[in-house]
Amino acid sequence: MNKSKWLLVSLVLAMVFVLAACGGKENNDASSTPSASAPAATESASAPASEEAPAEEYLPEEGAKLVVWYSASEKALVDEAAKLYKEKYGIDIEYQDVGPDKSIEKMITDGPAGVGADVFLAVHDRLGSAVQAGVVLPNDLHGEESTANNSDKSVEALTIDGQLYGYPMSVETTAVFYNKDLFPDTNGEAPKDWNGVIEFAKKFNDAKAQKYAYMWEVGNGYWSWGFFGGYGGYVFGKDGTDPADIGLNNAGSVEAAKFFGSLKNLILPIKAADIKADIKTSLFNEGKLAMNVSGPWQVGEFKKSVANLGVMEYPTLPNGKPMMPFSGVKGFLVNANTKYPIAAKLFAELISSEALQAKNFELFGSLPSNKNVAASATVSGDPFASVFLKQFDNSTPMPKIAEMAGFWGTHEAALSSLWNDGADAQTTMDDWAKKVKDSNAAAQ
Amino acid sequence: MKQNSVAAGWLSVLCAGLGQWYNKQYSKGLLFVLIHATGVYLISTTLLTKIKGLITLGDQGQHLEKVGKIFKNVPGDHSIFMMIYGVLSVIIVALYIVFYILNIRDAVAVGRKRDSGSAVKGLNNDIFPWALLALPIIGVLFFTIMPIVFTSLLAFTNYASPNHIPPKNLVDWVGFDTFHKLFNMNVWADTFTGVLTWTIIWAVLATVTCYFGGILVALLINQQGIKLKGFWRMLFIIPYAIPQFVSLLIMRNMLNEKFGPINQYFRYFGLEGLPWLNDPFWAKVSVIVVNMWIGIPVSMVLVMGILTTIPKDLYEAADVDGASAWMKFRNITMPYVLFATAPILITQFAGNINSFNVIFLLTSGNPATMKYNNAGQTDLLVTWLYKLTLDFNQYNIAATVAILLFLIIAVMSVLLYSRTRSFKEEDMIQ
């Protein structure tokens, strides 16, 4: 009897705490979560704006304070933009270290809870998921300027169903770095087509000394896509927007798979999983690798280690067509749950403007999406940036529909079996296409 | 004579605290009335709507509306938040109901005391320890029970990318559909059975190898005539002292088929080396061997401790009887060690089922295979879970796998533990 009495008393106390806590939470709900207060802020801000519809001037909300997500290594750009923004509108920017590769994932989980960034950088290939989850606002205020100022491909990459969502910032694709000192017979010029590469590999490759002519991360769909794209293969139809039309086993893809699989014996007798980015980089730095497939982000590093560094577009395929690697477009996005949508949009526009894209190139060598910056003497005269920009024209922006998860979930297995086991091209590609289809059906 | 208890009971049914009041426990009655009032107020104003939300999971997602040139975000229902608040509300209401029942029992009990003429105490100083206990009770409810309930509930929804990710899209209850998918839909079923089989093989092998490896090493070092005992002990404990994040990533590079030092040594002796991490079979061998390297020190230290507790006279007696070394090991050492470590063996087994580090850092579940969905040949259920949630956002499948994983571990642990001698013969060693 005593026992139950004590249980009762402790329960009572528990209840008091719980009810008190609960009451507190309710108040909180009403007053401070963004879902409740955001519309009010939006309304008060947009009401005067929409009355004087043609007027250009949109002003940030009163008392706005913005949070920006950007990768730590390139923080200097945000600092620069924050300084300009503060001068113009007197609003402070808080910086947080969330890189573009994981910002959308984080926004989908954190954004609705009110703890996401107001403005964040993202790569376009996850945009489909973001729009489907409803966590980003369209680029409405500056849509026309963004479209006019940036390259068509970059605008297209950040557009879904005809609506532009992002503020294009930079583009990214891959090309072939080469060590001029290793091509003495051709005056330091690397072969421009695959037959040339294969010929060169016959002379140059030496498995004992670990010398290789040409290397890329074979088992990774991002790095190997150039072959498939070049032969006319595609993942999803209608520019990557139709998940019902899978092109992984069309005639071009199968042709590409055959050529891809044959290369193991011809130029790179290593299993797919053994080729790691760090191994590839160190071989190239030591002069044991002649041609190294990588992206513009490694220009600075290679310049230091390789005395005579060159970069060129991918070698031409045996069918005479250029390879079409995947490319990514980075752009700023505005959180749909932001308390200060106008201020956020103004900042996104400012940081992706011509001046700051030029600054971004100057600081980090990021390839601008802005037409004027790309055409400027500093960029077009740069022996590395100009090649990457040309390669960007010969590239396929990664499809951005959410179904791409099916592709990324299967790419390694499919490519490895083509490469390691010399699996039959037609069967493997059929399998791959079916696998992507299945995995999308399984996720329904 | 029974009137007091009956009256107090009914009064408490009417309103918590009235019975206590009637029993002349005024402060207690007042407290109860207050809680009753807050409870009724909260339930009628918010808790009921939240519980309704738990049932419907919302009916209108967030969407955009165009006003002039500007898109405006119209907030809607967020199914997952509704689920969390709903579960919280259910817990609070349940607490309230328990309080109500205990309140009636208390009123009746005190009433009986009065009927029988004994003195009634009010709230007194003994409350203190129970006040302290209230906090852990809340802690357990909200930080242990709530997340478990929430995770389990996810398994009965369609919360998965790409079509059911809030806030724009709602999540719905789908009953046992996800379980059905996991067992019957080819892609999922193949992956689940394949990964589950390997998980169990792995857990058994990893436990057994580390355990007997540890005993062996401990016995070897403890042999008479072994010199530099301290040095050997230190040498064997080092792998355990290095953080696995470092050592496993180094191992991963060492086992690289083309560039790794291990195969280069082989080549130095004219052998081709082995496809350590590239071949499904050798990859499995690799993770088990590397796991031994990490796991043996733990069992070794453990067994060394136990060896010192075995009475020396047992061995002396055995010597007198002319027992061989093997017989001594078989009949004295082994029973002692087994008895003392059996429960630990079981925790190790359960731990190995969930052994995330070794697999994730050494192979990342690779080699990849077309046979599985979002998993590789060496993936355990737990690393597959990681990929499902963090890489592929298949939360409902992941929750289902988590529930099954929990059931497997719980059932096995209970079965094994109830069969050990340490459980059956608790008083063998006094």
Side-chain angles (χ1 to χ4, degrees):
Chain A
M1 191 192 86
N2 233 3
K3 227 180 195 173
S4 76
K5 185 177 160 198
W6 291 129
L7 180 59
L8 178 65
V9 172
S10 57
L11 250 174
V12 164
L13 284 164
M15 284 288 294
V16 172
F17 278 114
V18 166
L19 294 178
C22 186
K25 192 169 67 235
E26 291 313 314
N27 292 339
N28 230 3
D29 244 7
S31 69
S32 73
T33 63
S35 57
S37 56
T42 320
E43 241 156 358
S44 63
S46 59
S50 52
E51 274 165 28
E52 35 174 327
E56 290 284 301
E57 205 50 33
Y58 285 95
L59 285 174
E61 293 83 355
E62 287 283 312
K65 190 177 176 310
L66 298 179
V67 174
V68 175
W69 284 352
Y70 204 77
S71 58
S73 55
E74 294 162 297
K75 178 171 177 282
L77 185 80
V78 176
D79 290 343
E80 185 77 24
K83 209 177 72 196
L84 292 173
Y85 193 69
K86 173 95 178 168
E87 276 166 19
K88 200 163 173 190
Y89 301 109
I91 291 173
D92 285 316
I93 303 289
E94 188 195 330
Y95 160 86
Q96 284 174 3
D97 172 19
V98 178
D101 49 331
K102 45 187 188 283
S103 58
I104 284 185
E105 288 304 299
K106 216 163 139 63
M107 189 51 71
I108 291 173
T109 48
D110 292 5
V115 288
D118 299 291
V119 179
F120 58 99
L121 187 71
V123 189
H124 82 278
D125 68 317
R126 302 287 296 132
L127 184 65
S129 304
V131 171
Q132 196 148 21
V135 294
V136 291
L137 284 181
N139 176 354
D140 41 16
L141 291 185
H142 310 97
E144 284 155 30
E145 294 97 308
S146 295
T147 311
N149 295 340
N150 294 287
S151 68
D152 294 345
K153 236 177 182 165
S154 64
V155 171
E156 177 54 35
L158 293 167
T159 300
I160 286 182
D161 293 336
Q163 176 63 56
L164 176 64
Y165 282 89
Y167 299 73
M169 183 68 194
S170 64
V171 301
E172 225 169 56
T173 192
T174 53
V176 185
F177 288 96
Y178 60 99
N179 187 339
K180 289 182 180 166
D181 294 339
L182 300 177
F183 298 92
D185 301 347
T186 48
N187 285 330
E189 276 312 302
K192 298 272 183 253
D193 59 24
W194 273 102
N195 290 332
V197 175
I198 292 167
E199 283 307 309
F200 175 72
K202 276 184 192 156
K203 284 182 292 177
F204 188 80
N205 274 9
D206 181 356
K208 267 228 170 78
Q210 291 185 349
K211 281 171 76 181
Y212 297 98
Y214 186 102
M215 198 181 278
W216 77 104
E217 284 170 64
V218 173
N220 189 320
Y222 180 75
W223 297 101
S224 287
W225 185 254
F227 295 99
F228 299 90
Y231 273 101
Y234 56 88
V235 188
F236 297 121
K238 289 194 195 131
D239 292 330
T241 57
D242 181 6
D245 176 11
I246 296 175
L248 285 172
N249 56 345
N250 71 6
S253 292
V254 173
E255 194 62 28
K258 271 185 201 147
F259 179 61
F260 172 81
S262 74
L263 286 175
K264 186 190 176 201
N265 293 328
L266 291 173
I267 62 161
L268 194 57
I270 305 176
K271 286 199 179 140
D274 288 337
I275 307 171
K276 300 263 180 262
D278 50 343
I279 290 173
K280 188 166 68 77
T281 300
S282 72
L283 287 176
F284 189 60
N285 288 343
E286 289 165 26
K288 289 180 169 178
L289 174 61
M291 302 169 87
N292 178 15
V293 178
S294 188
W297 54 88
Q298 280 197 299
V299 169
E301 184 185 351
F302 290 154
K303 267 186 188 165
K304 276 182 216 147
S305 57
V306 177
N308 276 317
L309 181 70
V311 69
M312 60 173 221
E313 290 179 65
Y314 277 97
T316 311
L317 290 167
N319 67 355
K321 297 239 174 71
M323 284 171 75
M324 295 285 272
F326 273 147
S327 56
V329 174
K330 283 181 182 168
F332 283 94
L333 294 171
V334 174
N335 178 1
N337 293 293
T338 173
K339 276 187 255 179
Y340 314 109
I342 306 284
K345 285 170 189 171
L346 289 172
F347 181 75
E349 167 65 10
L350 176 89
I351 195 170
S352 63
S353 65
E354 192 176 325
L356 279 149
Q357 287 203 21
K359 186 86 192 165
N360 196 23
F361 176 75
E362 181 194 314
L363 287 171
F364 310 109
S366 305
L367 306 175
S369 62
N370 186 296
K371 289 179 199 162
N372 292 341
V373 184
S376 71
T378 29
V379 179
S380 62
D382 185 285
F384 295 96
S386 55
V387 174
F388 278 108
L389 280 172
K390 251 190 270 164
Q391 182 69 64
F392 181 71
D393 290 336
N394 275 334
S395 73
T396 317
M398 290 178 274
K400 53 186 174 273
I401 53 175
E403 280 81 358
M404 266 306 265
F407 174 87
W408 294 120
T410 49
H411 66 126
E412 207 174 339
L415 292 171
S416 303
S417 58
L418 281 175
W419 186 263
N420 294 350
D421 316 332
D424 179 65
Q426 183 74 50
T427 328
T428 313
M429 297 310 277
D430 285 347
D431 258 16
W432 193 2
K434 184 173 172 296
K435 201 72 202 170
V436 173
K437 209 165 149 197
D438 280 356
S439 102
N440 283 327
Q444 292 304 307
Chain B
M1 275 304 276
K2 278 193 161 185
Q3 276 162 349
N4 279 332
S5 62
V6 175
W10 282 114
L11 278 171
S12 271
V13 170
L14 195 65
C15 167
L18 283 190
Q20 281 73 12
W21 201 277
Y22 175 83
N23 285 336
K24 302 198 174 70
Q25 297 176 308
Y26 298 114
S27 51
K28 197 187 200 177
L30 183 66
L31 184 62
F32 281 19
V33 169
L34 281 179
I35 293 173
H36 179 78
T38 343
V40 168
Y41 172 75
L42 283 178
I43 287 174
S44 56
T45 50
T46 63
L47 294 183
L48 273 185
T49 36
K50 296 253 190 263
I51 292 173
K52 224 175 110 195
L54 177 66
I55 295 162
T56 62
L57 291 183
D59 37 41
Q60 170 72 62
Q62 173 176 300
H63 58 279
L64 295 168
E65 256 169 37
K66 197 164 186 180
V67 183
K69 198 183 173 187
I70 296 183
F71 280 94
K72 218 172 68 179
N73 186 34
V74 184
D77 298 328
H78 191 302
S79 306
I80 297 305
F81 293 167
M82 291 176 89
M83 196 188 276
I84 295 174
Y85 287 132
V87 172
L88 276 174
S89 305
V90 168
I91 292 179
I92 294 170
V93 170
L95 266 182
Y96 175 76
I97 290 170
V98 171
F99 155 78
Y100 211 94
I101 292 169
L102 288 183
N103 140 68
I104 298 168
R105 279 185 54 181
D106 176 71
V108 173
V110 176
R112 282 210 186 110
K113 261 193 174 176
R114 290 179 66 201
D115 290 341
S116 63
S118 42
V120 176
K121 280 191 263 176
L123 286 170
N124 61 25
N125 290 335
D126 295 343
I127 266 181
F128 181 68
W130 297 95
L132 279 185
L133 200 64
L135 275 177
I137 290 179
I138 297 172
V140 165
L141 272 176
F142 289 90
F143 298 110
T144 311
I145 309 280
M146 215 290 285
I148 293 175
V149 171
F150 175 65
T151 313
S152 315
L153 286 179
L154 282 186
F156 301 95
T157 67
N158 55 6
Y159 183 28
S161 170
N163 291 329
H164 298 283
I165 299 290
K168 192 175 167 193
N169 299 294
L170 296 166
V171 172
D172 307 304
W173 294 109
V174 295
F176 282 90
D177 260 21
T178 318
F179 288 86
H180 182 79
K181 252 190 197 174
L182 191 60
F183 290 123
N184 294 313
M185 197 166 174
N186 271 341
V187 265
W188 288 120
D190 290 353
T191 319
F192 181 68
T193 45
V195 174
L196 175 66
T197 317
W198 161 238
T199 304
I200 290 173
I201 295 175
W202 150 265
V204 171
L205 285 180
T207 315
V208 169
T209 50
C210 287
Y211 184 67
F212 287 103
I215 293 179
L216 190 73
V217 173
L219 285 176
L220 277 178
I221 294 178
N222 262 22
Q223 285 300 308
Q224 281 181 348
I226 296 282
K227 296 207 167 122
L228 301 173
K229 284 193 172 145
F231 167 76
W232 294 118
R233 255 180 240 137
M234 189 196 73
L235 192 70
F236 281 105
I237 203 77
I238 281 180
Y240 183 62
I242 305 172
Q244 294 182 7
F245 278 94
V246 181
S247 56
L248 286 176
L249 288 174
I250 290 172
M251 280 284 176
R252 184 186 188 139
N253 278 335
M254 284 178 52
L255 291 168
N256 190 308
E257 187 183 343
K258 200 78 189 183
F259 303 101
I262 292 181
N263 274 359
Q264 295 203 16
Y265 290 137
F266 275 118
R267 260 174 243 133
Y268 185 72
F269 293 110
L271 297 166
E272 224 350 89
L274 289 165
W276 294 112
L277 300 177
N278 287 326
D279 178 83
F281 174 76
W282 286 108
K284 286 172 183 177
V285 172
S286 302
V287 285
I288 286 176
V289 171
V290 172
N291 184 63
M292 281 171 77
W293 180 71
I294 292 166
I296 282 179
V298 186
S299 325
M300 182 192 79
V301 171
L302 204 69
V303 173
M304 277 180 168
I306 294 159
L307 290 180
T308 59
T309 67
I310 303 179
K312 287 277 179 294
D313 47 358
L314 284 179
Y315 289 107
E316 283 158 17
D319 282 336
V320 172
D321 290 346
S324 67
W326 167 250
M327 281 166 82
K328 279 189 278 182
F329 171 75
R330 171 84 183 66
N331 295 316
I332 302 171
T333 317
M334 210 49 213
Y336 257 94
V337 172
L338 261 185
F339 180 81
T341 53
I344 292 164
L345 200 57
I346 291 157
T347 49
Q348 277 186 350
F349 178 75
N352 276 327
I353 289 185
N354 277 334
S355 173
F356 184 84
N357 276 7
V358 179
I359 304 288
F360 189 76
L361 295 174
L362 195 65
T363 65
S364 314
N366 286 337
T369 170
M370 294 287 269
K371 282 187 289 181
Y372 292 171
N373 208 17
N374 304 339
Q377 301 261 24
T378 56
D379 262 323
L380 301 180
L381 284 173
V382 65
T383 52
W384 185 39
L385 258 179
Y386 174 90
K387 290 182 181 174
L388 281 175
T389 46
L390 276 97
D391 297 346
F392 299 101
N393 303 340
Q394 303 293 317
Y395 303 108
N396 57 347
I397 287 278
T400 312
V401 174
I403 290 177
L404 295 172
L405 194 51
F406 167 74
L407 287 178
I408 292 167
I409 294 178
V411 169
M412 283 195 171
S413 303
V414 169
L415 277 183
L416 289 173
Y417 186 66
S418 62
R419 272 157 200 275
T420 56
R421 286 172 61 201
S422 0
F423 178 72
K424 287 184 191 157
E425 305 166 23
E426 229 167 73
D427 48 6
M428 183 181 119
I429 297 176
Q430 295 292 343

